[in-house]
Amino acid sequence: MTLGGKWCCAALIVAGLFPGLSRADLFEEVMAVHHRAKTLLGPQRAPLAVYVGGPGNAWLLRYAEVQINDQPPVVYEYDGFQADAIQRGGLHRLLATDLPVGKHHIRARLVVRAPDASAATPRVQYDIDEPFNIGNAPLSLELLLPAAVGGRAIFGVQVQRGDGRSDILRQRVQRYADDAQLAWIAAAEAPGAMALPPPPSPSNTVGMFNAAIALINGGRDVQAVEMLTKIGQQPVKSPDEQLVRDLANLTLGYRMLRAGNGGAAAEALGRVRSEGLYANQALLGLGWASLLPTTSERSSARKLMQQYQEQGSPAAESASADSRRRDPLNRSWTAGMKVSPAQLQQALAAWRVLERRNSFDPIVQEGMMLVAYALQELGQIDQATRQYERVIVRLEAVQQRLTEVLPQVLDGRLLAVLDADVQSGWRRWLADLSADPTQGYIRMLTADQAFIDALEARQPLAFQRRVLVQDDRSLAPLEAANPVAANLRSRITPLILRANAELERSNLQVLSAAAPVMQSLRLTTDAYLVDARFALARIYDPPSK
Amino acid sequence: MAALLVVMPAAAENAAEAGTTIVGEREAAVGLYLAPWQDEQASDLDRPPALFDVPAEVLDAERFQRLAEYDEAVGAYRRERLYRSR
């Protein structure tokens, strides 16, 4: 039986034990038990909790490292949302541990930067080295960042001590979790918010974009182009507004390519961020836009779309496979057009930037081939030959890597990587790994909506399971002497079973979403590899005319 | 197949003359023009540049927001790394 099969069976068996209990109900039940356990455990322990924050401080916290005595240090890197949450007055619980009564020592390092800092602005680092005593009561240490005036701190970090029970502290921890979009942590921190809240409402720009798409599908191209132009140039506040703006410009750019207007296409595609999700598609289109004529006068959207309707779509052009192979660039957006060497050089500039990017991306693979086609068109046969050879080497490396990682993704080892890095705020497995050229498939996975949906649904499930296991472990020593603890443990045991089953079902959904993405990458890589090998063979042994 | 040959002995006799015989007016010049009845199908392999286009698809606002947040996390991480190296 496969791993997926085992998960399915386990999920079905355990789901049968809890008929009618939805995931939301389960989460609420887990949180209720967790808060009972916290209340029960509170007087029995002398825990230390270390918090990081500041009362509406002016710094963006990037990195924190805290070490108690000689224990291994806890390191946390804050992502954009979390740094903003702390800047707005939130408090992050960085560390919670049990300590014996007596003298202890805390060492901490906080790295911050001003919100408006440029790449050249140095970061500010604070080091804390303080002894503290712990008695029979819980202790909280709040490491509070100082306020900044004119980009400079006027004081050092303040270490504030408390009993960890104040309402203000709890509210600030919950505010941090809310602002940093970690709703499940907020629920675990405060008994008043045990259910997961609905996600924040998305921006209206998505609605505007959808209206533009409806206009395109309804044949009202002129109004659609006007609306896309408006979305593509409006100021943005949130990540989704930024991404919609990119998508609007990308859609507009490709509409202009269809209309044969290289200038307007380049203008729209040039507004797409160079490092965003749609950057590669934009670079591909920018190259094609260079091969199209540029209208000297800025045509109105109406005129452009009339031109498009008169010309018809270039995609409708048909030519025999043989002639397309002999003259590969004389199709697609430039079918039937005369392309000058200067235009080809301009297209090459965009495609050369594109081809150096993530080799797992089919758009980048297309860019690699286009560079070779353009060099061939320019008559630079030696360079084209070397380019095809390079493409073959790169695609073979991608092919080999995919062969290695495909089983790892499908058998669940990818999920083990996710769970191993719960401490870092950057979702480091996706950010850090995707910066590594050999892990480029991660970036392709996180660009897939189905994969992200499954992954997001999994996060609270993994969290609730961790909370239950931790509570169960903490209550175990009290069970013999305390009947309430024994009762609570008897509630926790079936909940762990149910939480395991839900998590395993969710794991299966993540892997099911990853599989088609990985298979598709494999297929496109294989296809481009064949293309490159055929193209190279034609150079060595040109077909007879 | 054997049964077929038994039932149709005449067909079996003609099997030696495989192929198609075109009988026309013997006095006229013999000429045969073959015209393709459809365009050659483009091969899946050894393709020319693909025609990438942006699909005109309506967005699901909530899912798109999630996608944007992931993209933002990746981008911000890269920017932060860039800052750190200076």
Side-chain angles (χ1 to χ4, degrees):
Chain A
M1 186 185 281
T2 62
L3 193 62
K6 280 181 203 164
W7 278 341
C8 244
C9 290
L12 285 173
I13 291 163
V14 180
L17 298 173
F18 299 86
L21 193 64
S22 71
R23 273 187 184 175
D25 294 340
L26 176 68
F27 190 83
E28 277 193 53
E29 176 78 3
V30 170
M31 287 301 121
V33 168
H34 173 61
H35 289 299
R36 288 270 297 143
K38 270 201 330 192
T39 314
L40 196 66
L41 289 164
Q44 310 290 331
R45 296 155 70 185
L48 168 76
V50 179
Y51 299 87
V52 185
N57 63 77
W59 299 110
L60 280 179
L61 179 62
R62 303 279 42 157
Y63 176 87
E65 187 181 318
V66 173
Q67 186 178 21
I68 304 296
N69 304 328
D70 294 326
Q71 292 176 5
V74 173
V75 175
Y76 200 97
E77 291 191 67
Y78 292 85
D79 74 15
F81 297 111
Q82 293 165 358
D84 285 346
I86 286 180
Q87 200 198 13
R88 283 199 288 270
L91 211 53
H92 174 223
R93 190 174 61 194
L94 184 61
L95 183 151
T97 184
D98 287 323
L99 285 177
V101 173
K103 281 187 178 175
H104 298 280
H105 207 95
I106 180 171
R107 286 182 199 85
R109 185 166 11 130
L110 305 179
V111 179
V112 300
R113 69 173 176 81
D116 55 351
S118 72
T121 312
R123 293 165 169 225
V124 180
Q125 181 177 316
Y126 292 107
D127 289 302
I128 298 130
D129 193 337
E130 272 198 31
F132 63 93
N133 281 317
I134 196 155
N136 287 320
L139 175 71
S140 68
L141 296 176
E142 293 174 40
L143 310 181
L144 300 177
L145 291 164
V149 176
R152 288 175 179 225
I154 44 176
F155 302 112
V157 170
Q158 194 190 341
V159 181
Q160 195 168 301
R161 291 159 200 232
D163 61 4
R165 291 172 185 163
S166 82
D167 285 342
I168 295 176
L169 183 135
R170 214 164 36 212
Q171 281 164 12
R172 289 182 61 198
V173 172
Q174 197 188 338
R175 193 194 311 166
Y176 165 79
D178 284 342
D179 287 356
Q181 299 171 15
L182 302 167
W184 54 94
I185 293 180
E189 293 295 340
M194 287 192 294
L196 285 175
S201 54
S203 75
N204 294 332
T205 322
V206 174
M208 280 174 71
F209 179 83
N210 285 345
I213 295 299
L215 288 170
I216 290 175
N217 293 336
R220 295 165 67 187
D221 289 309
V222 178
Q223 289 91 333
V225 166
E226 280 167 359
M227 194 170 248
L228 288 172
T229 309
K230 192 177 166 193
I231 301 168
Q233 296 185 14
Q234 69 181 13
V236 290
K237 288 177 194 155
S238 61
D240 62 334
E241 283 180 0
Q242 180 71 74
L243 201 62
V244 175
R245 195 170 82 165
D246 283 351
L247 184 57
N249 282 318
L250 189 75
T251 310
L252 181 63
Y254 275 84
R255 299 301 292 177
M256 293 297 112
L257 282 181
R258 280 171 163 270
N261 186 334
E267 200 180 311
L269 294 170
R271 286 194 292 265
V272 178
R273 285 172 303 160
S274 64
E275 290 299 332
L277 194 61
Y278 302 115
N280 292 349
Q281 288 97 320
L283 275 170
L284 183 73
L286 269 174
W288 284 113
S290 311
L291 302 182
L292 292 170
T294 310
T295 46
S296 53
E297 53 170 1
R298 185 167 294 183
S299 307
S300 69
R302 186 176 297 277
K303 192 172 160 190
L304 287 171
M305 291 323 295
Q306 273 172 357
Q307 190 184 339
Y308 162 57
Q309 280 152 2
E310 283 161 17
Q311 283 179 355
S313 166
E317 293 261 350
S318 71
S320 76
D322 182 60
S323 73
R324 278 179 284 162
R325 283 181 208 130
R326 282 175 199 276
D327 191 6
L329 286 182
N330 187 19
R331 76 178 293 269
S332 302
W333 309 113
T334 52
M337 290 181 187
K338 195 92 180 149
V339 174
S340 72
Q343 283 176 304
L344 275 171
Q345 292 290 2
Q346 227 177 329
L348 264 175
W351 289 336
R352 277 199 189 282
V353 174
L354 174 64
E355 68 132 359
R356 284 194 288 268
R357 295 186 167 208
N358 181 7
S359 338
F360 287 80
D361 186 348
I363 299 287
V364 174
Q365 295 175 351
E366 173 81 10
M368 294 179 196
M369 293 298 288
L370 283 170
V371 168
Y373 290 144
L375 289 169
Q376 245 181 304
E377 190 83 5
L378 282 165
Q380 297 171 3
I381 304 300
D382 285 350
Q383 284 195 45
T385 307
R386 280 198 294 277
Q387 173 68 12
Y388 283 127
E389 286 166 352
R390 270 196 300 270
V391 172
I392 290 169
V393 170
R394 283 180 71 187
L395 292 180
E396 279 175 345
V398 170
Q399 202 180 39
Q400 194 188 338
R401 185 76 188 125
L402 285 172
T403 309
E404 284 165 16
V405 297
L406 200 60
Q408 293 174 17
V409 171
L410 300 183
D411 70 9
R413 271 178 279 174
L414 176 73
L415 294 170
V417 177
L418 306 191
D419 291 337
D421 196 22
V422 289
Q423 280 298 314
S424 183
W426 279 105
R427 308 182 205 225
R428 220 172 51 196
W429 62 272
L430 76 90
D432 204 2
L433 290 182
S434 58
D436 176 353
T438 62
Q439 311 277 15
Y441 65 94
I442 297 269
R443 187 77 178 111
M444 305 312 298
L445 284 173
T446 55
D448 184 76
Q449 281 201 333
F451 179 76
I452 288 178
D453 289 347
L455 208 56
E456 281 294 298
R458 183 183 183 274
Q459 294 214 50
L461 299 175
F463 174 76
Q464 73 181 8
R465 186 174 162 277
R466 275 201 302 275
V467 164
L468 283 170
V469 170
Q470 209 174 328
D471 287 344
D472 190 49
R473 254 185 231 143
S474 306
L475 289 169
L478 309 180
E479 194 177 25
N482 188 336
V484 181
N487 178 267
L488 210 49
R489 277 199 86 200
S490 69
R491 276 177 73 188
I492 287 178
T493 308
L495 282 175
I496 289 181
L497 273 178
R498 176 68 202 265
N500 277 341
E502 285 293 350
L503 183 61
E504 283 164 3
R505 198 183 299 172
S506 179
N507 288 344
L508 196 63
Q509 281 165 353
V510 173
L511 301 183
S512 308
V517 177
M518 297 297 287
Q519 302 284 12
S520 158
L521 290 183
R522 181 67 207 238
L523 285 175
T524 50
T525 306
D526 289 352
Y528 278 111
L529 193 53
V530 171
D531 291 349
R533 283 179 177 148
F534 268 118
L536 191 61
R538 274 197 299 277
I539 289 183
Y540 289 143
D541 186 14
S544 53
K545 293 188 179 177
Chain B
M1 177 62 86
L4 197 68
L5 290 175
V6 172
V7 174
M8 295 190 297
E13 280 168 20
N14 293 339
E17 299 168 22
T20 305
T21 308
I22 299 171
V23 181
E25 203 178 324
R26 291 188 186 276
E27 278 71 28
V30 176
L32 182 64
Y33 296 95
L34 295 173
W37 60 277
Q38 66 175 30
D39 290 340
E40 184 188 351
Q41 195 127 31
S43 166
D44 281 346
L45 297 176
D46 193 20
R47 305 153 302 170
L51 189 69
F52 170 78
D53 202 351
V54 182
E57 282 172 0
V58 171
L59 301 174
D60 178 314
E62 198 182 301
R63 296 179 75 196
F64 190 78
Q65 190 180 26
R66 221 172 282 146
L67 190 69
E69 279 161 13
Y70 268 72
D71 187 48
E72 173 64 20
V74 173
Y77 185 83
R78 284 203 183 137
R79 285 194 294 279
E80 217 40 50
R81 284 286 172 279
L82 180 72
Y83 285 8
R84 184 174 292 182
S85 63
R86 300 210 175 163

